[in-house]
Structure formats: structure tokens, C-alpha cells
Amino acid sequence: MFQRYTCIEEGVEMGKSQVKNNIRKLRFNHDEMTQEQLAKKVGVTRQTIIAMESEKYAPSLELAFRIARIFGVPLEEVFYYTPEDE
Amino acid sequence: MFQRYTCIEEGVEMGKSQVKNNIRKLRFNHDEMTQEQLAKKVGVTRQTIIAMESEKYAPSLELAFRIARIFGVPLEEVFYYTPEDE
DNA sequence: TAAAAATGTAAAGAAGTATTGACATAATGT
DNA sequence: ACATTATGTCAATACTTCTTTACATTTTTA
């Protein structure tokens, strides 16, 4: 066994997801929207935005839709799948 | 009030998600692919397919991408967001 | 250069998603 | 009718995403 995620000695090492995003770029293209403002608009905390931007994990599908909607673009213009990691 | 989630007396009642999908249709349009076959192709269990088709919950973004890829269509052709419930 | 605003990090716990296994019902074929 | 295949349900557990709180660092602006 073991396993799909890089585990290091102590603690649980998070696997980075294979879904990438352009949130940061999109924020800047939208009047330099801050993480805080985006968080509020989509109804999550700033932590969640940070985690997504730093790709610690991918958002839920529902949250992905809400974010795309805020930026007024289709979901696949914000998020994209990179299997096998490039 | 009330409320996005139907909560019943005892136990936790699952809220249905606001993300809908065409998985069932797509399966049939693809040579009547069974739940089992789809599950195997995208690398999840049959339970997960059942839960998504019956909209008990929406998949993760990554799984959504994998499913769309199997059917050879863009993600938004499989899943769509219906805020406020239609 | 000091205050304020924006971003980053960490960790515990809640909520949501996925797995496993066991069994029930429906549909298809022989 | 019987066996087989496909679908559905339930429940426990594991894993992933999101929240909350609190504090550290960087960037911006007065």
C-alpha cells in the first residue's frame, strides 16, 4: 500500500490537486479585486480563496460555478484540468 | 425562512445540491454505458455515480472534469448550476 | 517610516464528498 | 420460471473541502 498522496514523516501532507485556476489573474483583471472582496461575493471565507489560489485544493463544483459567475466567464475559463501533472 | 436544506427530525438530512447534471442521458447516448462501466472509467465506485445521478451531491471539480472527458464534451455540457433552485 | 490594507500560514473542527460492503428491487435474456 | 445484469438503498467510515480564529509578513499609502 501507499499511495496516491505524498506523505511526509509527521502530519498529513496535502496533495496538490490536478485542477489549476486563473483566479488571481481574474481578480486583477477585475479592478484589482481583493481576496476579501471575492470571498464575500462568492460567499466563502478568505482562507478558501487563498487555498484555491495557492492550489492547496480544488473547490467544490458548486463553488467553481459561483466563482466563474462572478467573473462573468465560463467555468472552464477559470479552472482547467491537468491530468498527470504537466 | 427555510431554507435550502430539508431538515427532518432525527438524523442529518442531506441537502440536494444546486448543481444538476446529464450523466444519465450521456450514458445512454454512449452505447448505454452502465453505471458500473462509467464508474470504472472515471475511477470511482458505482455508489458515487448513483449519488450524482440522483443528485444527492455534486462531485468534486476534479471528478466533474474526468466525467466530462469520458463523454468527450465540455464540463458545462454535463453539469450546470441552478442557483435558487429553479 | 509608521499605519493600514492585503496577503500568507497554521491548526482544529464542521460540512460535504467518496468508499466499502451488504442486501433489495427491477429489467433482460434463456 | 430462473439466472443474470443493472440499478437502488442503507449505513459506517475515510477523505477532502471549507470555516473559524489568531497571528505573521508583505505591500501600499499617508
Side-chain angles (χ1 to χ4, degrees):
Chain A
M1 76 267 257
F2 256 35
Q3 111 215 48
R4 217 163 139 220
Y5 296 106
T6 355
C7 281
I8 299 183
E9 270 292 276
E10 60 237 83
V12 182
E13 189 56 27
M14 304 255 80
K16 299 222 170 189
S17 92
Q18 312 203 52
V19 177
K20 309 258 196 281
N21 69 79
N22 306 120
I23 297 179
R24 196 154 205 138
K25 274 180 212 152
L26 286 162
R27 275 200 300 119
F28 283 97
N29 294 345
H30 281 253
D31 199 29
E32 314 240 323
M33 186 187 296
T34 69
Q35 294 177 332
E36 183 73 41
Q37 291 170 327
L38 176 57
K40 195 167 228 175
K41 276 179 197 282
V42 300
V44 298
T45 65
R46 193 169 60 87
Q47 287 314 311
T48 301
I49 304 298
I50 290 173
M52 288 187 298
E53 286 193 0
S54 59
E55 270 149 1
K56 280 229 274 287
Y57 53 69
S60 67
L61 181 53
E62 182 169 341
L63 178 51
F65 272 116
R66 294 208 302 270
I67 291 171
R69 170 171 285 225
I70 291 300
F71 291 129
V73 299
L75 190 150
E76 295 187 284
E77 222 165 283
V78 186
F79 302 93
Y80 52 98
Y81 183 45
T82 61
E84 306 293 307
D85 245 350
E86 79 272 9
Chain B
M1 76 275 256
F2 248 45
Q3 176 153 26
R4 222 163 132 219
Y5 296 112
T6 356
C7 281
I8 300 182
E9 269 293 274
E10 61 238 82
V12 183
E13 189 56 25
M14 305 254 81
K16 302 219 168 188
S17 90
Q18 312 203 49
V19 177
K20 308 259 195 282
N21 69 78
N22 305 120
I23 297 179
R24 197 153 205 142
K25 275 180 209 150
L26 285 161
R27 276 201 298 118
F28 283 98
N29 294 345
H30 282 253
D31 199 30
E32 315 240 322
M33 186 187 295
T34 69
Q35 294 177 332
E36 184 73 41
Q37 292 170 327
L38 176 57
K40 194 167 227 170
K41 276 178 196 284
V42 299
V44 297
T45 64
R46 194 169 60 86
Q47 286 313 313
T48 301
I49 305 297
I50 290 173
M52 289 187 297
E53 287 193 358
S54 57
E55 272 150 358
K56 281 229 273 287
Y57 55 69
S60 67
L61 182 53
E62 182 168 342
L63 178 51
F65 272 117
R66 295 209 301 273
I67 292 171
R69 172 171 283 227
I70 291 300
F71 291 129
V73 299
L75 190 150
E76 296 188 284
E77 223 165 282
V78 186
F79 301 93
Y80 51 99
Y81 184 44
T82 60
E84 307 292 308
D85 247 351
E86 81 275 7

